[in-house]
Amino acid sequence: MKESQPSAIHLKDYTVPAFLIDKTELTFDLDESTTVVTSRLHMRRNPAFGKSTAPLVLDGGEDVKLIGVAMDDYPLPPEEYRVSEDKLIITATADEFVLTCETLIEPQNNTKLEGLYRSSSMFCTQCEAEGFRHITFYLDRPDVMSVFTTTIIADEARYPVMLSNGNQVERGKNDEGKTVVVWHDPFPKPAYLFALVAGDLAVKNDVFTTQSQREITLQIFTESHNIDKVDYAMEALKRSMRWDEEVYGREYDLDIFMIVAVDDFNMGAMENKGLNIFNSSCLLASPETTTDDNYLRVEAIVAHEYFHNWSGNRVTCRDWFQLSLKEGFTVFRDQTFSADMHSATVKRVEDVSFLKTAQFAEDAGPMAHPVRPASFIEISNFYTLTVYEKGSEIVRMIHTLLGEEKFRAGSDLYFERHDGQAVTCDDFVAAMEDASGVDLTQFKRWYSQAGTPIVTATDHFDAETGSYQLTLKQETPATPGQPTKLPLHIPVRVGLLDKEGKALEATVEGVTAQDHVLHLTESEQTVVFSGVTTQPVPSLLRDFSAPVKLRYEYSSEDLLLLMSTDNDGFNRWSAAQQLAVNELNTLIDQAIKGETLAVDSQLVDGFKTLLNDDSLDPAMVALVLALPSQAYLSELANPIYPAAIKQARQYLKQQLATALSAEFERTYQAHSMSSGYQPSAEQIAHRSLKNIALSYWVEAGDEKAQQAVRAQYQSADNMTDQFAALSIAVNGQLDSASELLAAFYEQWQNEPLVVNKWLMLSAAQEQDTALETVKSLMEHPAFDLKNPNKVRSVLGGFGQSVSGFHKADGSGYRFLADQIIVLNKRNPQIASRLCTPLTRWKKLQPELSVQMKAELERILAEDLSKDVYEVITKSLA
Ligand code: B3K
Ligand code: ZN
């Protein structure tokens, strides 16, 4: 452990910057050994800071070596400045001046992939949140916005493509014969949106004509062997540009929009102004190498990064506590876009399922934090599901409370009022309130209060008066640093069904309708529905109108009714899930007690009806058939018995498979298509139903099903079907599994993105030898510790293997802890993310919990990065 430990910074301590940077001129002399960065910063004291003689304090990393500093072109004598660990401090300055710094950096040795670094043979950058300070000394905070001009000098032969933000304004040669390219970005921006790329890249060109008839050049750059896989991303980009014009009235602003794919990248993608940089896994797509899920992800991420041009770049965050201002809003925008492009219900189910599995777990664990955190040690740890996904749910609730039209007026006002500014979540809400007249004072607690609220509903029907009373209670559990909570403003969308499943009209506060949005604002509240003719079954929290845990005593009959008749598609799925959860919980209890598993499954009839109803959307049927995941059941459980959950899921799947084997076979055959692959909603729906049906059919132990798996693997003309067949063989532990796994690697060894899928599937296997398998994968030639995608595939996959990760002797936890310790120095952001499964130790069954805790303590004894230190200390607190 270090002598002095990292400390937290707090939102309440925010002050405006003492200096501003009106113009930033950067020159990069790129070279494989040392890169020289020269900056000319046109600075002045910030009038909003008040009169002051405060010294100038610039941020800079330990990896930035200062070789010269000058004020208004006069070199500063050593007594007028000093460099501490991560700051350059200049004692006295004029009110307005030009500061020049010459610095040396070594991108080739940058393993943290933050700042300027190398991926394959190219140079690229990642500056959000605080990467720019690893390039040169700067006021590296989002409320310092500056107009950037960037000069790149490099050897033409190795780096024919040299890119930065904005428009290219010059290209020529210098005296040494090197190529010099100058880029200028007219839009003031914070340093986190700066980008630079240099390499030998292929390009795909296109154009987009905006609603005001401006022609925008679109370019996607990749290494030459990948350029045949960017057509889908290009089309997705054009769809996003059109959608943002039509739905939000937002037009693109520069004359050129560029995207570059890089292999080594810590996360999915980055919205740098005019020059988005993508992890190649989130950009490249071809039918042979990319699954349906990955196609949808590419489209969503291309859209997300593009949408940031307004929600993030034109209007940015004042400080990093406000991160959800841009991320929550932009996730909401990309979710709505995908819903418009495909099926809205399917998209909602997928998003909510993810939220309830992963964000709810985060919000119930030691890293729980408000959507607008009050403090942090390392901001990189706060790019979380809470900030992104719960943040998006907050914006969605505002949309529900205001309605489509007023929400659009609010967003127009927000963009107009704050264009070119760095603002706060409060500013966003104020624009929504001002444009709509809706009071969101209490609603704003969603930003500051952590934890998932529990809403408990009880009801009473009075047949004589035709009145139905619904009582709603809310309670938010304590979270770290927040022992008590206030009631939130929760929109609860409700409909009533009769016993045949027909929608009932009812009157609430003078409004008669089949669907009502109730405003739960007190700890407990009763709402009266009048004009109700018969005892209703309530359809609660329709479309998942708020990110809460709903409790209501539904009978199995009620759930079956909702599952087959509710006209809210989301709640049909939700009812089926609840039914499955109830049965699985019974089985889990039996497994924990060591009893023989037995359940008289109501799902058999429910699934049978579903499988025989050809009028249903096959995508929805597939979603209903997917049993609640190991991860979701773990989130619901306390304590978690991983092996019991696994056993219960396997048992129920087996029961359903045996009872409905003929239906699954028929469904499999009925949804097998022969037409050419398209990543269209319609085809994706058929493939998803076909493949889940196959996974059940195989479970019934039918030899014919096993042959079907092999046949599908061999004849598939697309990765979705090929990989589905492989996964079914591996997860179903079929005899063919190891042979198919070997064949798959043999076939795809030269396609890294496909190899990553193979790594993940191999690492997630349920076998007694799972730990040995993962160890050998890390020695495999396909593995590379420098590449975050590979690390995530192998270690992320391993975390899903109950038999590997949760080994009774704790060796699975020890293995993960060892990898975290190795990566802690090399790449702290990745190391910190890998800690997530270990943060759940308090909820685990006692024998496993102690083992996991011991590994956290072992990690804490190391000399830790801020990233890992924060997660480990908070987990142990
Ligand atoms: N804004 C980036 C995320 C940056 C993460 C920095 N550790 C991508 C996105 O959310 O669009
Ligand atoms: Zn984002």
Side-chain angles (χ1 to χ4, degrees):
M1 241 196 281
K2 279 186 199 157
E3 305 270 284
S4 72
Q5 296 300 359
S7 54
I9 64 160
H10 298 265
L11 167 59
K12 64 175 168 40
D13 297 337
Y14 173 85
T15 49
V16 299
F19 292 85
L20 299 175
I21 311 177
D22 294 319
K23 278 198 292 180
T24 299
E25 294 162 330
L26 300 169
T27 303
F28 289 81
D29 199 339
L30 297 176
D31 186 90
E32 277 83 17
S33 53
T34 24
T35 289
V36 182
V37 182
T38 311
S39 70
R40 281 177 66 78
L41 309 180
H42 298 249
M43 304 190 72
R44 62 187 159 96
R45 288 191 182 270
N46 182 5
F49 188 80
K51 232 184 142 36
S52 142
T53 53
L56 171 61
V57 182
L58 296 149
D59 308 294
E62 293 155 32
D63 41 6
V64 176
K65 192 165 161 224
L66 184 67
I67 44 180
V69 51
M71 189 69 86
D72 291 326
D73 293 322
Y74 289 101
L76 275 184
E79 62 276 14
E80 287 187 23
Y81 70 94
R82 85 193 137 84
V83 180
S84 79
E85 209 178 293
D86 58 358
K87 301 275 183 249
L88 167 60
I89 300 157
I90 297 169
T91 343
T93 73
D95 287 345
E96 204 168 332
F97 54 92
V98 178
L99 180 76
T100 311
C101 290
E102 202 179 15
T103 46
L104 285 184
I105 47 173
E106 295 181 350
Q108 69 280 10
N109 297 326
N110 181 346
T111 58
K112 298 184 173 143
L113 313 189
E114 198 187 31
L116 180 66
Y117 66 94
R118 294 195 60 122
S119 176
S120 310
S121 60
M122 59 207 273
F123 286 95
C124 61
T125 52
Q126 172 52 35
C127 294
E128 188 176 358
E130 297 180 336
F132 194 80
R133 62 188 63 189
H134 298 284
I135 294 176
T136 189
F137 291 98
Y138 204 75
L139 298 180
D140 190 8
R141 45 187 285 170
D143 56 355
V144 173
M145 299 174 82
S146 183
V147 172
F148 280 66
T149 305
T150 306
T151 303
I152 310 171
I153 306 171
D155 179 0
E156 172 88 34
R158 275 166 301 164
Y159 308 102
V161 172
M162 301 178 203
L163 312 173
S164 191
N165 318 84
N167 304 307
Q168 184 178 310
V169 288
E170 264 177 64
R171 185 172 180 118
K173 294 260 179 206
N174 70 6
D175 298 346
E176 294 162 28
K178 284 191 171 176
T179 298
V180 181
V181 177
V182 183
W183 289 83
H184 177 74
D185 178 3
F187 292 95
K189 63 168 176 291
Y192 85 85
L193 291 171
F194 171 80
L196 178 151
V197 170
D200 188 357
L201 303 174
V203 61
K204 159 135 185 136
N205 291 295
D206 210 325
V207 281
F208 177 81
T209 309
T210 68
Q211 59 187 4
S212 69
Q213 303 303 311
R214 290 171 43 244
E215 292 241 311
I216 314 294
T217 302
L218 307 179
Q219 297 188 308
I220 300 185
F221 295 87
T222 69
E223 290 180 82
S224 61
H225 58 274
N226 283 329
I227 200 69
D228 57 341
K229 300 196 188 73
V230 301
D231 295 2
Y232 183 76
M234 186 64 96
E235 292 308 313
L237 172 62
K238 290 189 280 181
R239 287 196 289 278
S240 313
M241 296 177 87
R242 187 63 74 217
W243 187 89
D244 213 14
E245 293 181 344
E246 286 169 359
V247 181
Y248 280 85
R250 297 293 117 199
E251 183 170 320
Y252 186 62
D253 44 15
L254 288 160
D255 297 332
I256 179 166
F257 184 80
M258 299 172 283
I259 299 180
V260 181
V262 304
D263 287 341
D264 304 294
F265 207 63
N266 280 345
M267 67 278 171
M270 178 63 211
E271 70 264 25
N272 317 296
K273 182 77 188 184
L275 177 55
N276 287 187
I277 298 182
F278 271 61
N279 186 325
S280 42
S281 70
C282 298
L283 191 78
L284 306 177
S286 77
E288 299 73 32
T289 58
T290 308
T291 58
D292 291 339
D293 289 350
N294 292 158
Y295 265 99
L296 295 177
R297 191 170 61 143
V298 166
E299 182 185 56
I301 299 183
V302 166
H304 179 99
E305 305 311 331
Y306 173 72
F307 296 155
H308 268 315
N309 190 55
W310 275 96
S311 49
N313 301 1
R314 287 288 285 260
V315 182
T316 195
C317 302
R318 186 193 73 174
D319 54 73
W320 291 119
F321 300 101
Q322 319 294 332
L323 181 58
S324 196
L325 172 80
K326 72 178 179 80
E327 296 305 347
F329 188 22
T330 306
V331 171
F332 174 69
R333 278 150 57 69
D334 86 55
Q335 289 179 346
T336 324
F337 165 78
S338 294
D340 283 354
M341 296 298 120
H342 305 276
S343 149
T345 309
V346 170
K347 176 68 178 154
R348 188 70 186 132
V349 167
E350 288 167 350
D351 291 338
V352 172
S353 184
F354 178 53
L355 181 89
K356 290 175 77 170
T357 302
Q359 194 279 324
F360 280 18
E362 180 171 276
D363 229 354
M367 284 294 288
H369 55 274
V371 165
R372 182 187 52 219
S375 73
F376 57 74
I377 293 178
E378 170 53 62
I379 182 56
S380 298
N381 285 330
F382 285 78
Y383 286 75
T384 58
L385 297 163
T386 299
V387 166
Y388 276 65
E389 310 299 322
K390 188 175 180 181
S392 162
E393 294 300 319
I394 291 183
V395 178
R396 186 180 293 271
M397 286 188 284
I398 295 179
H399 184 274
T400 303
L401 295 172
L402 269 60
E404 178 66 38
E405 231 167 83
K406 287 182 177 163
F407 180 85
R408 169 66 195 269
S411 112
D412 285 352
L413 179 61
Y414 168 71
F415 287 126
E416 188 191 314
R417 189 184 267 179
H418 297 297
D419 191 8
Q421 297 176 1
V423 303
T424 63
C425 298
D426 284 340
D427 292 322
F428 178 78
V429 177
M432 289 289 165
E433 288 183 308
D434 293 348
S436 68
V438 175
D439 179 358
L440 296 170
T441 314
Q442 182 185 0
F443 180 83
K444 283 207 288 188
R445 288 179 189 157
W446 279 103
Y447 283 99
S448 55
Q449 209 165 264
T452 307
I454 298 166
V455 172
T456 309
T458 49
D459 55 0
H460 173 75
F461 176 59
D462 184 339
E464 258 170 48
T465 57
S467 100
Y468 173 75
Q469 290 189 4
L470 184 67
T471 300
L472 299 169
K473 284 188 200 166
Q474 61 164 308
E475 191 191 357
T476 304
T479 52
Q482 290 188 334
T484 52
K485 311 278 179 171
L486 296 167
L488 296 162
H489 181 171
I490 304 176
V492 182
R493 189 181 284 282
V494 178
L496 304 179
L497 273 58
D498 71 12
K499 287 284 176 205
E500 272 69 56
K502 230 172 85 259
L504 291 171
E505 280 210 332
T507 308
V508 177
E509 288 172 8
V511 180
T512 305
Q514 293 184 352
D515 188 270
H516 297 268
V517 177
L518 312 180
H519 297 260
L520 174 59
T521 53
E522 312 287 329
S523 307
E524 180 172 344
Q525 223 168 303
T526 298
V527 181
V528 181
F529 295 71
S530 55
V532 183
T533 46
T534 172
Q535 168 80 48
V537 175
S539 168
L540 300 168
L541 207 67
R542 284 185 155 174
D543 205 35
F544 203 64
S545 60
V548 302
K549 292 187 180 182
L550 174 71
R551 306 248 162 101
Y552 176 79
E553 290 289 324
Y554 280 116
S555 66
S556 299
E557 291 69 44
D558 291 345
L559 291 172
L560 282 166
L561 182 85
L562 289 165
M563 172 180 167
S564 49
T565 60
D566 195 347
N567 57 22
D568 183 69
F570 175 83
N571 266 5
R572 291 174 76 151
W573 170 81
S574 184
Q577 283 283 297
Q578 192 53 50
L579 202 53
V581 165
N582 294 350
E583 293 186 0
L584 283 161
N585 279 340
T586 307
L587 293 165
I588 292 167
D589 279 346
Q590 293 167 352
I592 293 171
K593 293 189 194 126
E595 296 169 3
T596 314
L597 302 198
V599 69
D600 185 13
S601 180
Q602 307 266 349
L603 280 174
V604 172
D605 285 343
F607 278 16
K608 193 174 197 159
T609 317
L610 223 58
L611 289 165
N612 288 327
D613 185 348
D614 292 331
S615 70
L616 298 173
D617 172 3
M620 284 309 294
V621 178
L623 286 169
V624 170
L625 293 180
L627 291 180
S629 66
Q630 175 88 23
Y632 180 55
L633 293 165
S634 303
E635 200 291 306
L636 295 177
N638 197 6
I640 305 166
Y641 284 78
I645 294 177
K646 180 176 114 180
Q647 200 191 337
R649 290 186 78 248
Q650 277 174 348
Y651 173 86
L652 186 59
K653 182 150 192 187
Q654 176 87 55
Q655 292 296 102
L656 292 164
T658 313
L660 299 169
S661 167
E663 279 78 6
F664 286 123
E665 177 178 359
R666 190 192 69 82
T667 305
Y668 176 65
Q669 308 295 3
H671 293 271
S672 299
M673 309 150 290
S674 49
S675 56
Y677 178 89
Q678 288 292 330
S680 63
E682 197 198 338
Q683 279 201 8
I684 292 174
H686 287 293
R687 276 189 292 272
S688 61
L689 181 51
K690 169 184 82 172
N691 286 320
I692 195 155
L694 181 59
S695 78
Y696 274 99
W697 183 26
V698 149
E699 205 65 37
D702 188 335
E703 180 60 31
K704 258 194 341 199
Q706 303 219 13
Q707 282 161 9
V709 172
R710 189 183 278 274
Q712 176 170 318
Y713 178 85
Q714 278 155 355
S715 66
D717 66 351
N718 64 79
M719 183 49 70
T720 309
D721 285 338
Q722 189 183 14
F723 195 69
L726 179 67
S727 306
I728 291 169
V730 171
N731 297 334
Q733 306 194 353
L734 306 191
D735 296 341
S736 55
S738 55
E739 178 203 327
L740 295 187
L741 265 178
F744 190 82
Y745 180 72
E746 180 68 27
Q747 182 182 354
W748 294 113
Q749 55 184 308
N750 296 320
E751 287 286 346
L753 297 178
V754 184
V755 169
N756 291 347
K757 300 179 81 63
W758 175 84
L759 285 170
M760 179 170 273
L761 185 64
S762 307
Q765 287 180 81
E766 291 295 348
Q767 289 171 334
D768 295 342
T769 53
L771 182 56
E772 286 71 51
T773 304
V774 76
K775 286 183 178 166
S776 67
L777 285 171
M778 292 192 65
E779 301 297 317
H780 194 281
F783 186 75
D784 179 0
L785 198 64
K786 290 199 297 294
N787 181 266
N789 291 352
K790 297 202 184 292
V791 172
R792 267 190 292 263
S793 295
V794 172
L795 298 176
F798 176 65
Q800 288 167 31
S801 163
V802 174
S803 40
F805 184 57
H806 295 289
K807 266 177 110 67
D809 63 359
S811 52
Y813 308 148
R814 195 171 322 129
F815 170 74
L816 182 63
D818 286 341
Q819 308 315 313
I820 291 167
I821 290 168
V822 171
L823 280 157
N824 164 57
K825 288 239 159 64
R826 288 191 67 93
N827 188 330
Q829 286 184 27
I830 297 297
S832 169
R833 302 246 152 191
L834 290 175
C835 296
T836 305
L838 300 176
T839 64
R840 311 279 189 253
W841 68 275
K842 280 188 188 154
K843 271 187 75 184
L844 268 188
Q845 61 185 96
E847 319 83 84
L848 294 178
S849 181
V850 287
Q851 313 254 28
M852 202 179 255
K853 184 179 185 208
E855 293 309 318
L856 288 166
E857 283 164 344
R858 191 163 66 85
I859 298 172
L860 187 61
E862 297 285 320
D863 180 6
L864 294 180
S865 58
K866 278 207 289 184
D867 311 58
V868 176
Y869 175 81
E870 179 168 36
V871 177
I872 301 292
T873 48
K874 288 185 174 171
S875 297
L876 285 169

